[in-house]
Amino acid sequence: MIVLRHVWKTYTVGGEPLHVLRDVTLDVAAGEFVAIMGPSGSGKSTLMHILGCLDVPTRGTYHLDNQPVHEWHGRALAHVRNRDIGFVFQHFHLLPRMTALRNVELPMIYAGRPRAERRRQARQLLAQVGMEERAHHYPNQLSGGQRQRVAIARALANGPRLLLADEPTGALDSATGRGILELFRQLNQQGMTIVMITHDPSVAAAAHRIVHLVDGRVADPERVD
Amino acid sequence: MLAAAWLSLTANVLRSLLTMLGIFIGVASIIAIVAIGQGGTTAVVNVIESHAAQQTIEILPKELVEPGLPQPGQVLSFTEDDLQLVRQFDGVADVSYSVNGQGDVGYRGKTINANIEGGPSDLNELANFTVVQGHMYTSADWLAHRRLAVLSTSLAHKLFGNQSPVGQVIQVGGQPLQVVGVAVSNQFNFMSMFLGADTIYLPATTCTDLFPWWNISEMDVTIQPGTDKAALSKRLVTALNLHAHQADAFIDSSGFLLGLEKTIGTITTILTAVIGAVAGIALVVGGVGVMNMMLVSVSERTEEIGLRMSLGATQSDILLQFLCESVMITGCGGLLGIAFGVVASILVHALTPLPSVVSWQAAVIGFLFSMAMGVVCGLYPAYKASKLHPIDALRYE
Ligand SMILES: Nc1ncnc2c1ncn2[C@@H]1O[C@H](COP(=O)(O)OP(=O)(O)O)[C@@H](O)[C@H]1O
Ligand SMILES: [Mg+2]
């Protein structure tokens, strides 16, 4: 599903080139659950932004489902983000003035889906993450774990095939984090491809495979399970 | 989309309202300008039309019409010869004259200084009176120099209170006159703004008996039906000037009307200019305010913009969202401005002699204009928002 070849990401800081990603090559097959680990500043988020079509590589190629997305721009990338990819962030990023239900509807609005269908789908997704009781709560009326569940429901809204999560348990206590992790595992068992960034080895242990990133390079590949 | 824009604006109601203020004042001013401008035009047209329709020509000494108060001794007066001269012209049906002045009117020890108008025999038809009590003087009264008078409502009230003045005897210029009626003139009269509304009307013949030294200040020529009024007026004025051995001693009062028209025009122009300046400044300041508020809003909501982009919003989605907010804010300001402008015009109409006319066209134009302001002032901030890089936006974690 993901085919990343010799990807570099280079920023220019104070006139000097700063290589955040160096020659990263990575394959993720459909249905896989991959954890990306690495010290702070090693380029994990940068890698995930490229995987999520929020950013483009400076060099190298990225094929998503055999499509050369590294060549794409603007509207085409927005379309990929909208339909093919679901994002989960460390800090949830729910819009504070909208209820859980409306937050889940948001990606479907950009997909141009009719209101009634949006409503129905959003309710169903909230039920799937165990939040049907809280559909009309605002984010500030929800706990961290509950917010992350709503954010996951939102990521699933347009039925993506790839779920990208940047430290999804990073802002949660460990018990709550385990609940979220369990949800990811269930989704994966239902066939969802997941790439998850984490600091926590016990969280990473939930994945099939761990990719270590050090200084923007992929360190020795390691197989779990 | 609209619901989302509304949600954002109501997130900070006070800020949104303050931002609307400039647009509000601007649009309200536009509405008021148009209302006053149209009202002024209507007033001018009314004055001219009401005179054009009359079958009379009014001729005045020119000094009366010139700016500044005339010196009493210098004002030319019509003589009996002048009246005779005019009577001989073809197309002239009748000639009468008016005498005006100020004098004391007394009743049982009370004395009030009032306008005294000695009018033509058919004053009733000319000046469009509403008779409140009694009746107007008649042509018979005029012919017979009868000692009687009609009081304006305000003068009647001052002299008699709630008592009926009809049949009572008042003192004018030391002579007794019997009150036969109380009436109010329906003609829109600028002079009454300066001279006050306390007036007594009496036959000009009676008036010259009481005040023989007063100038005959106005000649009213009734014309025969089918006569070319303008041409006749020109011939009469030329003849009178010749007779007085003065190039332009007398003029047709439509010249005076032109003066009136000019006065109304000047007032309207000044008001329009002043309010126009207010509108212009308010709209510029308001527009800058809207743009500023939108820029602040964009930078405050970087995270939201990045999130929306990550969920699949295109640049045009973001552009449209912020344009919507900006147009909604100026549109609301515009609607409030229109409401206020309409109320203000109605107040102007009620409280001043200037008639102001609110037109729905002005309201529609004001509304469209305020929406256009929203597009113009929102375009740059919205463009800036749409050009944000999603990861820079999300890095606000
Ligand atoms: N726009 C940028 N300009 C310059 N340096 C950047 C930019 N974005 C990220 N970096 C740098 O790239 C490095 C990797 O960042 P990131 O991918 O967020 O690391 P991680 O998520 O692994 O902590 C950091 O040192 C960061 O300072
Ligand atoms: Mg990171």
Side-chain angles (χ1 to χ4, degrees), chain A residues 11-13 18-21 38-49 55 166-167 197 199 213, chain B residues 391-392 395:
Chain A
Y11 291 107
T12 309
V13 179
L18 174 70
H19 301 293
V20 177
L21 294 179
S40 193
S42 58
K44 303 183 298 292
S45 293
T46 306
L47 176 59
M48 208 195 74
H49 291 148
D55 204 357
D166 193 347
E167 304 196 32
I197 293 172
H199 262 114
L213 214 56
Chain B
I391 52 163
D392 293 334
R395 229 175 255 286

Side-chain angles (χ1 to χ4, degrees), chain A residues 75 81-82 93 97 110, chain B residues 7 10 303 308-309 311 316:
Chain A
R75 187 171 287 273
R81 294 197 290 268
N82 187 229
H93 287 313
R97 303 249 312 147
Y110 291 119
Chain B
L7 203 62
T10 50
E303 179 193 323
R308 286 176 181 272
M309 286 176 161
L311 297 181
S316 42

Side-chain angles (χ1 to χ4, degrees), chain A residues 81-101:
Chain A
R81 294 197 290 268
N82 187 229
R83 307 297 174 98
D84 301 333
I85 297 169
F87 286 96
V88 179
F89 304 95
Q90 180 178 0
H91 292 287
F92 328 127
H93 287 313
L94 297 178
L95 294 188
R97 303 249 312 147
M98 294 183 183
T99 61
L101 193 70

